């Protein structure tokens, strides 16, 4: 057996033999400069067919890129030649995800997204849910909604599900104006304010009328 211990092949440094593959070739356990580890046959090492744990082929700088609720922060290593990225989730948590799973959209959150009921297109009162835009400090999903009046508003899943949020605020304003109008109509008789009659004379009234 050819002794390759503690030799460098590209980004790999051989550590110790790790057995034989199906073809009977000696496998060497190697440490990569990126921090990853892998097993490579002596033939692939000597002939230069393999020069890293796979990070050379898999690496692409995605720092700052957004994948669903995840923002890639930094590359932290690799697993069997596949790069691992530390990500910040909109809910505030961190997640370590394979780059491949990020770019193929297999993973789009730290796990919190799977617990959120999707509301895109749902109509609540005058609101139509457009898209999820993040999380609040309580990790509640925040949804951008379009009101029938044309305004947009942000609402949580809870306020939408419980229907405590049904408009951008215009509905409440209309209700208040309607109640105020009805109050004025009920408090007058033939143009005379009944409330003014019931309240008696003001202190500064000198006419007695």
């Amino acid at each position: 057996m050819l002794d390759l211990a503690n030799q460098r092949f590209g980004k790999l440094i051989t550590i110790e033999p790790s057995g034989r593959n199906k073809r009977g070739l000696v496998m060497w356990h190697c440490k990569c400069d990126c921090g990853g580890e892998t097993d490579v046959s002596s033939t692939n090492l000597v002939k230069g067919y393999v020069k890293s744990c796979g990070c050379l082929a898999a690496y692409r700088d995605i720092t700052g890129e957004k994948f669903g609720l995840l923002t890639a922060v930094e590359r932290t290593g690799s697993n069997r030649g596949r790069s691992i990225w530390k990500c910040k989730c909109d809910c505030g948590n961190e997640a370590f995800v394979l780059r491949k799973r990020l770019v193929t959209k297999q993973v789009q959150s730290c796990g919190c997204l799977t617990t959120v009921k999707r509301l895109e297109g749902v109509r609540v009162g005058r609101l139509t849910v457009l898209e999820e835009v993040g999380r609040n400090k309580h990790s509640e999903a925040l949804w951008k909604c379009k009101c029938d009046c044309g305004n947009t508003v942000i609402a949580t899943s809870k306020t939408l599900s419980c229907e405590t949020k049904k408009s951008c605020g215009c509905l409440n304003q209309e209700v208040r104006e309607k109640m105020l109008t009805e109050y004025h109509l009920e408090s007058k008789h033939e143009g005379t304010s009944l409330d003014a009659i019931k309240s008696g004379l003001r202190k500064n009234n000198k006419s007695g009328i």
Side-chain angles (χ1 to χ4, degrees):
M1 181 182 71
L2 183 63
D3 187 7
L4 301 179
N6 298 316
Q7 295 188 38
R8 176 175 285 277
F9 298 90
K11 297 182 67 176
L12 297 174
I13 295 179
T14 53
I15 299 175
E16 60 183 359
S18 58
R20 293 179 180 271
N21 62 13
K22 294 180 180 180
R23 298 172 57 190
L25 298 176
V26 176
M27 301 294 292
W28 283 85
H29 188 67
C30 306
K31 180 81 172 182
C32 186
D33 290 345
C34 73
E37 297 184 6
T38 186
D39 292 319
V40 187
S41 71
S42 55
T43 299
N44 286 338
L45 288 171
V46 173
K47 293 186 177 182
Y49 295 153
V50 178
K51 297 181 178 181
S52 74
C53 65
C55 59
L56 285 177
Y59 181 74
R60 176 170 73 84
D61 190 3
I62 57 174
T63 303
E65 291 188 31
K66 187 90 170 178
F67 303 92
L69 299 182
L70 296 175
T71 299
V73 177
E74 61 180 348
R75 187 173 182 272
T76 59
S78 64
N79 179 22
R80 296 183 179 179
R82 296 174 293 179
S83 57
I84 300 174
W85 283 79
K86 175 183 176 182
C87 302
K88 183 77 171 181
C89 187
D90 287 351
C91 73
N93 292 327
E94 291 183 347
F96 294 85
V97 189
L98 293 173
R99 184 195 65 83
K100 182 178 180 181
R101 301 195 71 189
L102 287 171
V103 298
T104 57
K105 298 182 179 180
Q106 295 180 47
V107 178
Q108 299 188 62
S109 75
C110 66
C112 58
L113 188 60
T114 57
T115 63
V116 177
K117 180 181 179 181
R118 307 313 301 168
L119 298 176
E120 290 92 341
V122 172
R123 188 168 175 80
V124 181
R126 295 184 177 185
L127 298 176
T128 300
V129 182
L130 301 179
E131 60 180 342
E132 186 179 353
V133 294
R135 301 297 175 94
N136 62 17
K137 62 181 181 180
H138 303 296
S139 297
E140 294 177 301
L142 299 174
W143 300 90
K144 180 180 180 181
C145 306
K146 183 70 174 287
C147 186
D148 289 348
C149 72
N151 292 329
T152 57
V153 66
I154 304 299
T156 66
S157 295
K158 184 177 180 179
T159 55
L160 291 171
S161 299
C162 298
E163 298 190 8
T164 55
K165 188 80 171 178
K166 295 183 179 182
S167 74
C168 65
C170 60
L171 182 58
N172 294 335
Q173 180 63 28
E174 289 180 14
V175 171
R176 285 194 295 268
E177 290 177 355
K178 182 180 180 181
M179 291 176 63
L180 187 60
T181 300
E182 292 177 350
Y183 170 76
H184 285 307
L185 290 175
E186 293 174 355
S187 63
K188 288 186 177 182
H189 179 67
E190 295 181 356
T192 301
S193 173
L194 299 179
D195 286 342
I197 295 175
K198 295 177 182 179
S199 63
L201 295 177
R202 295 183 179 179
K203 292 182 180 180
N204 61 352
N205 187 306
K206 298 179 180 181
S207 67
I209 300 175

PDB file of all heavy atoms in Angstrom, residues 40-68:
ATOM      1  N   VAL A  40     -11.167   9.677   0.090  1.00  0.00           N
ATOM      2  CA  VAL A  40     -10.823   9.668  -1.333  1.00  0.00           C
ATOM      3  C   VAL A  40      -9.884   8.498  -1.613  1.00  0.00           C
ATOM      4  O   VAL A  40      -9.002   8.182  -0.798  1.00  0.00           O
ATOM      5  CB  VAL A  40     -10.139  10.992  -1.748  1.00  0.00           C
ATOM      6  CG1 VAL A  40      -9.941  11.038  -3.262  1.00  0.00           C
ATOM      7  CG2 VAL A  40     -10.958  12.193  -1.281  1.00  0.00           C
ATOM      8  N   SER A  41     -10.053   7.888  -2.769  1.00  0.00           N
ATOM      9  CA  SER A  41      -9.173   6.774  -3.126  1.00  0.00           C
ATOM     10  C   SER A  41      -7.773   7.298  -3.440  1.00  0.00           C
ATOM     11  O   SER A  41      -7.596   8.433  -3.892  1.00  0.00           O
ATOM     12  CB  SER A  41      -9.735   6.015  -4.332  1.00  0.00           C
ATOM     13  OG  SER A  41      -9.617   6.793  -5.508  1.00  0.00           O
ATOM     14  N   SER A  42      -6.788   6.446  -3.195  1.00  0.00           N
ATOM     15  CA  SER A  42      -5.403   6.841  -3.447  1.00  0.00           C
ATOM     16  C   SER A  42      -5.188   7.193  -4.921  1.00  0.00           C
ATOM     17  O   SER A  42      -4.430   8.106  -5.251  1.00  0.00           O
ATOM     18  CB  SER A  42      -4.455   5.718  -3.033  1.00  0.00           C
ATOM     19  OG  SER A  42      -4.805   4.499  -3.687  1.00  0.00           O
ATOM     20  N   THR A  43      -5.867   6.494  -5.806  1.00  0.00           N
ATOM     21  CA  THR A  43      -5.740   6.753  -7.246  1.00  0.00           C
ATOM     22  C   THR A  43      -6.223   8.158  -7.592  1.00  0.00           C
ATOM     23  O   THR A  43      -5.560   8.893  -8.326  1.00  0.00           O
ATOM     24  CB  THR A  43      -6.543   5.717  -8.051  1.00  0.00           C
ATOM     25  OG1 THR A  43      -6.033   4.412  -7.783  1.00  0.00           O
ATOM     26  CG2 THR A  43      -6.439   6.001  -9.539  1.00  0.00           C
ATOM     27  N   ASN A  44      -7.400   8.536  -7.062  1.00  0.00           N
ATOM     28  CA  ASN A  44      -7.942   9.865  -7.355  1.00  0.00           C
ATOM     29  C   ASN A  44      -7.073  10.979  -6.777  1.00  0.00           C
ATOM     30  O   ASN A  44      -6.993  12.076  -7.337  1.00  0.00           O
ATOM     31  CB  ASN A  44      -9.358   9.985  -6.799  1.00  0.00           C
ATOM     32  CG  ASN A  44     -10.370   9.220  -7.624  1.00  0.00           C
ATOM     33  OD1 ASN A  44     -10.138   8.944  -8.801  1.00  0.00           O
ATOM     34  ND2 ASN A  44     -11.500   8.877  -7.021  1.00  0.00           N
ATOM     35  N   LEU A  45      -6.409  10.681  -5.659  1.00  0.00           N
ATOM     36  CA  LEU A  45      -5.518  11.671  -5.055  1.00  0.00           C
ATOM     37  C   LEU A  45      -4.253  11.842  -5.895  1.00  0.00           C
ATOM     38  O   LEU A  45      -3.874  12.965  -6.249  1.00  0.00           O
ATOM     39  CB  LEU A  45      -5.150  11.253  -3.630  1.00  0.00           C
ATOM     40  CG  LEU A  45      -6.240  11.370  -2.568  1.00  0.00           C
ATOM     41  CD1 LEU A  45      -5.779  10.711  -1.274  1.00  0.00           C
ATOM     42  CD2 LEU A  45      -6.592  12.828  -2.310  1.00  0.00           C
ATOM     43  N   VAL A  46      -3.618  10.744  -6.194  1.00  0.00           N
ATOM     44  CA  VAL A  46      -2.346  10.779  -6.913  1.00  0.00           C
ATOM     45  C   VAL A  46      -2.504  11.356  -8.320  1.00  0.00           C
ATOM     46  O   VAL A  46      -1.661  12.137  -8.789  1.00  0.00           O
ATOM     47  CB  VAL A  46      -1.729   9.370  -6.976  1.00  0.00           C
ATOM     48  CG1 VAL A  46      -0.492   9.351  -7.875  1.00  0.00           C
ATOM     49  CG2 VAL A  46      -1.356   8.890  -5.581  1.00  0.00           C
ATOM     50  N   LYS A  47      -3.567  10.990  -9.001  1.00  0.00           N
ATOM     51  CA  LYS A  47      -3.770  11.470 -10.365  1.00  0.00           C
ATOM     52  C   LYS A  47      -4.411  12.859 -10.421  1.00  0.00           C
ATOM     53  O   LYS A  47      -4.577  13.421 -11.498  1.00  0.00           O
ATOM     54  CB  LYS A  47      -4.640  10.477 -11.141  1.00  0.00           C
ATOM     55  CG  LYS A  47      -3.930   9.144 -11.383  1.00  0.00           C
ATOM     56  CD  LYS A  47      -4.747   8.232 -12.280  1.00  0.00           C
ATOM     57  CE  LYS A  47      -3.983   6.939 -12.575  1.00  0.00           C
ATOM     58  NZ  LYS A  47      -4.739   6.039 -13.480  1.00  0.00           N
ATOM     59  N   GLY A  48      -4.764  13.408  -9.241  1.00  0.00           N
ATOM     60  CA  GLY A  48      -5.299  14.772  -9.204  1.00  0.00           C
ATOM     61  C   GLY A  48      -6.747  14.897  -9.607  1.00  0.00           C
ATOM     62  O   GLY A  48      -7.220  15.994  -9.923  1.00  0.00           O
ATOM     63  N   TYR A  49      -7.465  13.768  -9.585  1.00  0.00           N
ATOM     64  CA  TYR A  49      -8.875  13.822  -9.957  1.00  0.00           C
ATOM     65  C   TYR A  49      -9.714  14.508  -8.871  1.00  0.00           C
ATOM     66  O   TYR A  49     -10.748  15.114  -9.155  1.00  0.00           O
ATOM     67  CB  TYR A  49      -9.416  12.406 -10.201  1.00  0.00           C
ATOM     68  CG  TYR A  49      -8.794  11.703 -11.381  1.00  0.00           C
ATOM     69  CD1 TYR A  49      -8.731  10.317 -11.427  1.00  0.00           C
ATOM     70  CD2 TYR A  49      -8.265  12.416 -12.458  1.00  0.00           C
ATOM     71  CE1 TYR A  49      -8.171   9.645 -12.504  1.00  0.00           C
ATOM     72  CE2 TYR A  49      -7.700  11.761 -13.547  1.00  0.00           C
ATOM     73  CZ  TYR A  49      -7.645  10.382 -13.562  1.00  0.00           C
ATOM     74  OH  TYR A  49      -7.092   9.732 -14.625  1.00  0.00           O
ATOM     75  N   VAL A  50      -9.282  14.388  -7.613  1.00  0.00           N
ATOM     76  CA  VAL A  50     -10.003  14.999  -6.488  1.00  0.00           C
ATOM     77  C   VAL A  50      -9.029  15.899  -5.734  1.00  0.00           C
ATOM     78  O   VAL A  50      -7.970  15.446  -5.288  1.00  0.00           O
ATOM     79  CB  VAL A  50     -10.581  13.924  -5.536  1.00  0.00           C
ATOM     80  CG1 VAL A  50     -11.278  14.594  -4.356  1.00  0.00           C
ATOM     81  CG2 VAL A  50     -11.545  13.015  -6.277  1.00  0.00           C
ATOM     82  N   LYS A  51      -9.389  17.177  -5.575  1.00  0.00           N
ATOM     83  CA  LYS A  51      -8.496  18.143  -4.933  1.00  0.00           C
ATOM     84  C   LYS A  51      -9.130  18.856  -3.742  1.00  0.00           C
ATOM     85  O   LYS A  51      -8.515  19.731  -3.141  1.00  0.00           O
ATOM     86  CB  LYS A  51      -8.038  19.184  -5.954  1.00  0.00           C
ATOM     87  CG  LYS A  51      -7.224  18.604  -7.097  1.00  0.00           C
ATOM     88  CD  LYS A  51      -6.792  19.689  -8.065  1.00  0.00           C
ATOM     89  CE  LYS A  51      -5.939  19.112  -9.187  1.00  0.00           C
ATOM     90  NZ  LYS A  51      -5.481  20.175 -10.125  1.00  0.00           N
ATOM     91  N   SER A  52     -10.370  18.490  -3.439  1.00  0.00           N
ATOM     92  CA  SER A  52     -11.043  19.116  -2.291  1.00  0.00           C
ATOM     93  C   SER A  52     -12.142  18.190  -1.801  1.00  0.00           C
ATOM     94  O   SER A  52     -12.396  17.138  -2.392  1.00  0.00           O
ATOM     95  CB  SER A  52     -11.652  20.477  -2.674  1.00  0.00           C
ATOM     96  OG  SER A  52     -12.808  20.299  -3.472  1.00  0.00           O
ATOM     97  N   CYS A  53     -12.793  18.603  -0.736  1.00  0.00           N
ATOM     98  CA  CYS A  53     -13.906  17.804  -0.211  1.00  0.00           C
ATOM     99  C   CYS A  53     -15.145  17.969  -1.080  1.00  0.00           C
ATOM    100  O   CYS A  53     -16.175  17.353  -0.837  1.00  0.00           O
ATOM    101  CB  CYS A  53     -14.222  18.227   1.221  1.00  0.00           C
ATOM    102  SG  CYS A  53     -14.848  19.920   1.357  1.00  0.00           S
ATOM    103  N   GLY A  54     -15.018  18.828  -2.097  1.00  0.00           N
ATOM    104  CA  GLY A  54     -16.135  19.118  -2.981  1.00  0.00           C
ATOM    105  C   GLY A  54     -16.475  20.593  -2.964  1.00  0.00           C
ATOM    106  O   GLY A  54     -17.259  21.078  -3.778  1.00  0.00           O
ATOM    107  N   CYS A  55     -15.835  21.321  -2.040  1.00  0.00           N
ATOM    108  CA  CYS A  55     -16.148  22.742  -1.881  1.00  0.00           C
ATOM    109  C   CYS A  55     -15.728  23.568  -3.093  1.00  0.00           C
ATOM    110  O   CYS A  55     -16.320  24.606  -3.388  1.00  0.00           O
ATOM    111  CB  CYS A  55     -15.518  23.291  -0.617  1.00  0.00           C
ATOM    112  SG  CYS A  55     -13.711  23.132  -0.569  1.00  0.00           S
ATOM    113  N   LEU A  56     -14.678  23.128  -3.809  1.00  0.00           N
ATOM    114  CA  LEU A  56     -14.237  23.880  -4.977  1.00  0.00           C
ATOM    115  C   LEU A  56     -15.318  23.932  -6.041  1.00  0.00           C
ATOM    116  O   LEU A  56     -15.523  24.951  -6.695  1.00  0.00           O
ATOM    117  CB  LEU A  56     -12.973  23.241  -5.567  1.00  0.00           C
ATOM    118  CG  LEU A  56     -11.669  23.483  -4.805  1.00  0.00           C
ATOM    119  CD1 LEU A  56     -10.526  22.720  -5.473  1.00  0.00           C
ATOM    120  CD2 LEU A  56     -11.349  24.970  -4.764  1.00  0.00           C
ATOM    121  N   ALA A  57     -16.047  22.821  -6.180  1.00  0.00           N
ATOM    122  CA  ALA A  57     -17.110  22.771  -7.183  1.00  0.00           C
ATOM    123  C   ALA A  57     -18.407  23.342  -6.656  1.00  0.00           C
ATOM    124  O   ALA A  57     -19.184  23.953  -7.382  1.00  0.00           O
ATOM    125  CB  ALA A  57     -17.329  21.326  -7.633  1.00  0.00           C
ATOM    126  N   ALA A  58     -18.638  23.150  -5.349  1.00  0.00           N
ATOM    127  CA  ALA A  58     -19.927  23.549  -4.782  1.00  0.00           C
ATOM    128  C   ALA A  58     -19.965  25.000  -4.331  1.00  0.00           C
ATOM    129  O   ALA A  58     -21.029  25.573  -4.167  1.00  0.00           O
ATOM    130  CB  ALA A  58     -20.263  22.651  -3.589  1.00  0.00           C
ATOM    131  N   TYR A  59     -18.790  25.616  -4.136  1.00  0.00           N
ATOM    132  CA  TYR A  59     -18.768  26.949  -3.538  1.00  0.00           C
ATOM    133  C   TYR A  59     -19.243  28.030  -4.502  1.00  0.00           C
ATOM    134  O   TYR A  59     -18.792  28.116  -5.637  1.00  0.00           O
ATOM    135  CB  TYR A  59     -17.372  27.297  -3.046  1.00  0.00           C
ATOM    136  CG  TYR A  59     -17.302  28.666  -2.404  1.00  0.00           C
ATOM    137  CD1 TYR A  59     -17.830  28.860  -1.141  1.00  0.00           C
ATOM    138  CD2 TYR A  59     -16.767  29.741  -3.094  1.00  0.00           C
ATOM    139  CE1 TYR A  59     -17.797  30.109  -0.550  1.00  0.00           C
ATOM    140  CE2 TYR A  59     -16.724  30.988  -2.509  1.00  0.00           C
ATOM    141  CZ  TYR A  59     -17.241  31.162  -1.237  1.00  0.00           C
ATOM    142  OH  TYR A  59     -17.223  32.393  -0.673  1.00  0.00           O
ATOM    143  N   ARG A  60     -20.144  28.818  -4.051  1.00  0.00           N
ATOM    144  CA  ARG A  60     -20.571  30.045  -4.735  1.00  0.00           C
ATOM    145  C   ARG A  60     -20.951  31.022  -3.650  1.00  0.00           C
ATOM    146  O   ARG A  60     -21.683  30.684  -2.737  1.00  0.00           O
ATOM    147  CB  ARG A  60     -21.774  29.799  -5.651  1.00  0.00           C
ATOM    148  CG  ARG A  60     -22.291  31.092  -6.301  1.00  0.00           C
ATOM    149  CD  ARG A  60     -23.319  30.785  -7.368  1.00  0.00           C
ATOM    150  NE  ARG A  60     -24.584  30.356  -6.829  1.00  0.00           N
ATOM    151  CZ  ARG A  60     -25.540  31.201  -6.418  1.00  0.00           C
ATOM    152  NH1 ARG A  60     -25.341  32.508  -6.425  1.00  0.00           N
ATOM    153  NH2 ARG A  60     -26.686  30.739  -5.966  1.00  0.00           N
ATOM    154  N   ASP A  61     -20.427  32.225  -3.740  1.00  0.00           N
ATOM    155  CA  ASP A  61     -20.661  33.207  -2.685  1.00  0.00           C
ATOM    156  C   ASP A  61     -22.099  33.701  -2.742  1.00  0.00           C
ATOM    157  O   ASP A  61     -22.503  34.377  -3.683  1.00  0.00           O
ATOM    158  CB  ASP A  61     -19.700  34.386  -2.838  1.00  0.00           C
ATOM    159  CG  ASP A  61     -19.749  35.305  -1.620  1.00  0.00           C
ATOM    160  OD1 ASP A  61     -20.485  34.983  -0.667  1.00  0.00           O
ATOM    161  OD2 ASP A  61     -19.047  36.325  -1.617  1.00  0.00           O
ATOM    162  N   ILE A  62     -22.890  33.323  -1.738  1.00  0.00           N
ATOM    163  CA  ILE A  62     -24.296  33.749  -1.689  1.00  0.00           C
ATOM    164  C   ILE A  62     -24.533  34.663  -0.487  1.00  0.00           C
ATOM    165  O   ILE A  62     -25.680  34.863  -0.074  1.00  0.00           O
ATOM    166  CB  ILE A  62     -25.231  32.526  -1.613  1.00  0.00           C
ATOM    167  CG1 ILE A  62     -24.896  31.648  -0.406  1.00  0.00           C
ATOM    168  CG2 ILE A  62     -25.193  31.729  -2.904  1.00  0.00           C
ATOM    169  CD1 ILE A  62     -25.877  30.503  -0.176  1.00  0.00           C
ATOM    170  N   THR A  63     -23.449  35.217   0.052  1.00  0.00           N
ATOM    171  CA  THR A  63     -23.563  36.108   1.208  1.00  0.00           C
ATOM    172  C   THR A  63     -24.551  37.242   0.929  1.00  0.00           C
ATOM    173  O   THR A  63     -24.444  37.928  -0.083  1.00  0.00           O
ATOM    174  CB  THR A  63     -22.198  36.722   1.574  1.00  0.00           C
ATOM    175  OG1 THR A  63     -21.260  35.672   1.815  1.00  0.00           O
ATOM    176  CG2 THR A  63     -22.315  37.593   2.806  1.00  0.00           C
ATOM    177  N   GLY A  64     -25.509  37.404   1.834  1.00  0.00           N
ATOM    178  CA  GLY A  64     -26.494  38.475   1.704  1.00  0.00           C
ATOM    179  C   GLY A  64     -27.694  38.131   0.849  1.00  0.00           C
ATOM    180  O   GLY A  64     -28.676  38.888   0.824  1.00  0.00           O
ATOM    181  N   GLU A  65     -27.643  36.996   0.153  1.00  0.00           N
ATOM    182  CA  GLU A  65     -28.778  36.610  -0.691  1.00  0.00           C
ATOM    183  C   GLU A  65     -29.926  36.093   0.170  1.00  0.00           C
ATOM    184  O   GLU A  65     -29.721  35.521   1.235  1.00  0.00           O
ATOM    185  CB  GLU A  65     -28.366  35.551  -1.713  1.00  0.00           C
ATOM    186  CG  GLU A  65     -27.434  36.078  -2.788  1.00  0.00           C
ATOM    187  CD  GLU A  65     -27.207  35.067  -3.896  1.00  0.00           C
ATOM    188  OE1 GLU A  65     -28.133  34.265  -4.171  1.00  0.00           O
ATOM    189  OE2 GLU A  65     -26.109  35.061  -4.482  1.00  0.00           O
ATOM    190  N   LYS A  66     -31.145  36.314  -0.326  1.00  0.00           N
ATOM    191  CA  LYS A  66     -32.362  35.962   0.407  1.00  0.00           C
ATOM    192  C   LYS A  66     -32.981  34.713  -0.208  1.00  0.00           C
ATOM    193  O   LYS A  66     -33.141  34.612  -1.421  1.00  0.00           O
ATOM    194  CB  LYS A  66     -33.348  37.132   0.347  1.00  0.00           C
ATOM    195  CG  LYS A  66     -34.586  36.974   1.192  1.00  0.00           C
ATOM    196  CD  LYS A  66     -34.391  37.526   2.578  1.00  0.00           C
ATOM    197  CE  LYS A  66     -35.700  37.595   3.336  1.00  0.00           C
ATOM    198  NZ  LYS A  66     -35.538  38.087   4.710  1.00  0.00           N
ATOM    199  N   PHE A  67     -33.355  33.771   0.671  1.00  0.00           N
ATOM    200  CA  PHE A  67     -34.008  32.534   0.242  1.00  0.00           C
ATOM    201  C   PHE A  67     -35.225  32.330   1.133  1.00  0.00           C
ATOM    202  O   PHE A  67     -35.098  31.788   2.240  1.00  0.00           O
ATOM    203  CB  PHE A  67     -33.049  31.340   0.340  1.00  0.00           C
ATOM    204  CG  PHE A  67     -31.781  31.520  -0.452  1.00  0.00           C
ATOM    205  CD1 PHE A  67     -30.650  32.059   0.153  1.00  0.00           C
ATOM    206  CD2 PHE A  67     -31.730  31.176  -1.786  1.00  0.00           C
ATOM    207  CE1 PHE A  67     -29.481  32.234  -0.560  1.00  0.00           C
ATOM    208  CE2 PHE A  67     -30.565  31.347  -2.515  1.00  0.00           C
ATOM    209  CZ  PHE A  67     -29.436  31.881  -1.911  1.00  0.00           C
ATOM    210  N   GLY A  68     -36.393  32.781   0.693  1.00  0.00           N
ATOM    211  CA  GLY A  68     -37.573  32.743   1.538  1.00  0.00           C
ATOM    212  C   GLY A  68     -37.397  33.684   2.707  1.00  0.00           C
ATOM    213  O   GLY A  68     -37.189  34.885   2.533  1.00  0.00           O
TER     214      GLY A  68
END
